[in-house]
Amino acid sequence: MRDDLRLLYLLIVYDIRKIMRYKVFILMRVAWFSVQVGFFAYLISHIVGQRFGGELTYYHFYLLGAYTSILFTVSMFRGYETAQEFEEGLIEYMLSLPIKRKILAIGRILGGSIASFILTLPMMLIVLFLLGAFDLFSILLAMASAMIFSIGIVSLSISLVFLIKSGDATDITFGILDSLLVRLSTVFYPAIILLSFIPYYYVSSVNPLSYLADFLRWIFYPQELSKYLINNPMNLAFFIIGFATSMLVLATIFIEKKIEGGGWK
């Protein structure tokens, strides 16, 4: 048991240490995100405010949606890294080590999730500053929900890599998913507005991005934004936890039962 925990710890640390490779990536992301929420968000909020007559505080709505989208993109990037590790032979090397498949699976998923959360932490801090959110409990709850969501997305991305087993196909699939899931959600569009186009609303109602974005909105603005949520807060929380758990189990099964040496073959 102690050896398993030690190996799990080492796997998590391995993924976290890889963050140092992405210093330029982090700086570029933070810079672009700052422009997005500091300029474009104000501009869009002014337009939406004119459209809805000030009824909707869209700036607050947009900020939390923007953070959700960047966390999703960075967490999905874990799948790209897994594909590269296959092509570089790193996965084969790890399979040859005296590590239980389940420990390997959980360690890489948790490590990738924590790394993704850390990579997006500067963006979260920017959003919290712009929101003026300084309630410690709300901040900790938001961080916990973001971390759980990241576990689900990292697990999903790794499962897709093992299912597709092709570097080029993985690039295409992830590009399509990143574009569709962000847009077919309540990340930038309130659920009440999506009701005007029922198919769009139904797709967004099962999209995990909708649930994290709306749960974050409820955490910080339970009164102001509650009528714009896709579901009630309790269901939002249960969905995020259920999604992360099911994806973690699925990814663990893939790594335990499906993955073999020899790259993609």
Side-chain angles (χ1 to χ4, degrees), residues 129-216:
F129 175 78
L130 293 173
L131 291 175
F134 301 108
D135 178 70
L136 181 59
F137 177 76
S138 297
I139 293 173
L140 292 177
L141 183 58
M143 288 183 172
S145 60
M147 183 65 219
I148 294 171
F149 173 80
S150 182
I151 290 174
I153 298 301
V154 169
S155 299
L156 173 63
S157 69
I158 290 177
S159 297
L160 288 174
V161 168
F162 294 149
L163 181 65
I164 298 170
K165 295 185 178 180
S166 168
D168 293 336
T170 296
D171 290 343
I172 296 171
T173 302
F174 279 26
I176 293 173
L177 281 177
D178 188 77
S179 298
L180 287 180
L181 290 181
V182 170
R183 287 160 180 80
L184 297 176
S185 70
T186 62
V187 164
F188 299 123
Y189 316 113
I192 195 172
I193 303 301
L194 299 181
L195 280 171
S196 60
F197 187 53
I198 295 299
Y200 202 137
Y201 174 81
Y202 282 134
V203 172
S204 67
S205 67
V206 295
N207 189 333
L209 277 78
S210 297
Y211 284 78
L212 177 65
D214 281 0
F215 188 65
L216 293 176

